[in-house]
Amino acid sequence: MCAEDIRAGSPYRSPTRNGPSVTQEDFERVFEEVKTWGTYSNPSAGAWQTVASASVVEAAALVRSGRVVTTALPWNTVSGPSNANPALHYMTDLGVREAPEPSCNKDFIGVDYHGKAVSHLDALSHIAYKGLLYDGQTSKDVVTATGADFGSVSSLGSLVAPGVLLDFTVLFDVPWLEPGTAIHAEDILAAEEKLGVKITAGDAVLIRTGHFRRTHELGIWDSSDLSAGLHVDCMPLLAERGISVLGGDGDSDVRPSPTPGIHSPIHILAITAMGLPLLDNLDLEALGTACAEEDRYRFMFVVAPLNIPRGTGSPVNPLAVF
């Protein structure tokens, strides 16, 4: 499908800017519609635990060629428009001393990973709305200066699930979606049809907008207030499908936000309402290529966050296996 087909009346519409706007009243209605409070036996893990043993077996059955694709960005120690707090990496010991053997080279890493420069997982303690975390937990009561007593990343453990890549650059036949472009529920349905894939319960769903192809070709920009991503109207559909985790090559939110006064509506609806962990800043360029070459957009997906007691998330390097 080419751009001319879209303009000439193809079933796939052209991508649009971040509208239509969503009023506070409508946002509250969607919040209540997708809310799953009281649903899970372990609310600290939320939708992550929808991946049962059968889902793992299904994921393993998707491995046929043995191709493994990493989705993490390189460790970024350089300050820039999207990296106000660069990651740290320095040597703490050099193996230049003499006997006894062996000599050792050692280094230190550290990172303020919530932001735009590090591929990371948001646990359920990360986002509060009106002072409440998922399942109605009062944020100030369960998250203190020493960490989170509810919804920590250590509550999640690892995830092995069927993964689905929705590649909207393929749907719209563009190299990337321009920053500010909103993806709507109808686009998700169209992408399923175009790519020959269906989102089912327990799936890990990844959204490719071509963010990092644009970065590589045009340069870095501050995506805090300008990025392609999901519109609020996507969330009832994703809630209905019962997915286990949502991720993308941005942070899932379209920016500017379509909801006045709410900077990150998708974060609120996913994490706080649905108990759905998010994967932010994934480099999905190689995965998009692999899916096209393997001629399938479903694969085994593995996420193993660091075991950080009371942490609000973790840097991650999720793997897609074909």
Side-chain angles (χ1 to χ4, degrees):
M1 179 187 66
C2 65
E4 288 75 17
D5 293 331
I6 296 173
R7 290 192 291 270
S10 158
Y12 309 113
R13 66 169 185 82
S14 295
T16 60
R17 303 302 287 178
N18 71 323
S21 62
V22 178
T23 66
Q24 181 72 39
E25 180 181 8
D26 285 340
F27 180 80
E28 296 292 342
R29 177 186 56 77
V30 174
F31 187 97
E32 291 300 320
E33 179 181 350
V34 303
K35 187 167 72 173
T36 61
W37 295 6
T39 298
Y40 300 109
S41 59
N42 177 13
S44 275
W48 190 268
Q49 63 199 297
T50 60
V51 179
S53 298
S55 299
V56 178
V57 172
E58 179 189 349
L62 294 169
V63 178
R64 300 165 198 161
S65 69
R67 185 174 187 169
V68 179
V69 182
T70 181
T71 63
L73 293 171
W75 197 250
N76 193 340
T77 61
V78 179
S79 180
S82 63
N83 195 17
N85 299 301
L88 302 176
H89 179 217
Y90 57 83
M91 301 304 296
T92 57
D93 197 1
L94 296 175
V96 295
R97 292 179 297 176
E98 306 220 352
E101 297 287 1
S103 59
C104 294
N105 298 305
K106 302 177 185 178
D107 54 357
F108 169 91
I109 59 172
V111 66
D112 182 2
Y113 58 87
H114 287 298
K116 307 300 180 184
V118 179
S119 301
H120 67 270
L121 171 70
D122 290 340
L124 302 191
S125 54
H126 177 50
I127 296 292
Y129 181 53
K130 297 183 176 179
L132 298 180
L133 300 173
Y134 178 67
D135 219 45
Q137 295 285 329
T138 301
S139 182
K140 66 181 179 61
D141 291 342
V142 295
V143 183
T144 67
T146 58
D149 292 322
F150 171 86
S152 70
V153 70
S154 59
S155 301
L156 298 178
S158 58
L159 178 140
V160 178
V164 171
L165 177 67
L166 298 181
D167 193 334
F168 289 96
T169 72
V170 174
L171 176 65
F172 295 123
D173 192 25
V174 293
W176 57 74
L177 274 61
E178 284 295 335
T181 302
I183 296 165
H184 294 275
E186 65 193 80
D187 300 322
I188 291 177
L189 296 175
E192 287 183 316
E193 179 184 352
K194 175 71 174 179
L195 302 174
V197 70
K198 181 81 170 179
I199 300 169
T200 59
D203 284 353
V205 175
L206 306 179
I207 305 296
R208 179 172 177 249
T209 68
H211 181 108
F212 291 106
R213 178 173 174 182
R214 187 183 194 278
T215 297
H216 295 153
E217 294 191 21
L218 299 184
I220 298 170
W221 78 100
D222 184 359
S223 58
S224 299
D225 296 305
L226 187 63
S227 61
L230 299 181
H231 189 273
V232 168
D233 65 23
C234 289
M235 299 313 286
L237 174 60
L238 294 177
E240 178 185 311
R241 297 295 181 89
I243 66 176
S244 59
V245 64
L246 174 66
D249 52 9
D251 65 1
S252 296
D253 270 282
V254 64
R255 305 184 191 282
S257 167
T259 307
I262 296 179
H263 184 258
S264 303
I266 300 303
H267 274 62
I268 294 170
L269 294 173
I271 295 175
T272 313
M274 296 167 59
L276 182 68
L278 292 180
L279 290 163
D280 292 348
N281 313 320
L282 301 181
D283 187 344
L284 300 179
E285 295 308 297
L287 181 56
T289 298
C291 285
E293 292 177 351
E294 297 280 337
D295 194 26
R296 58 188 173 107
Y297 287 79
R298 191 170 180 84
F299 41 82
M300 183 169 79
F301 192 62
V302 181
V303 188
L306 299 176
N307 186 1
I308 307 172
R310 312 187 78 206
T312 64
S314 169
V316 286
N317 179 20
L319 302 176
V321 188
F322 290 86

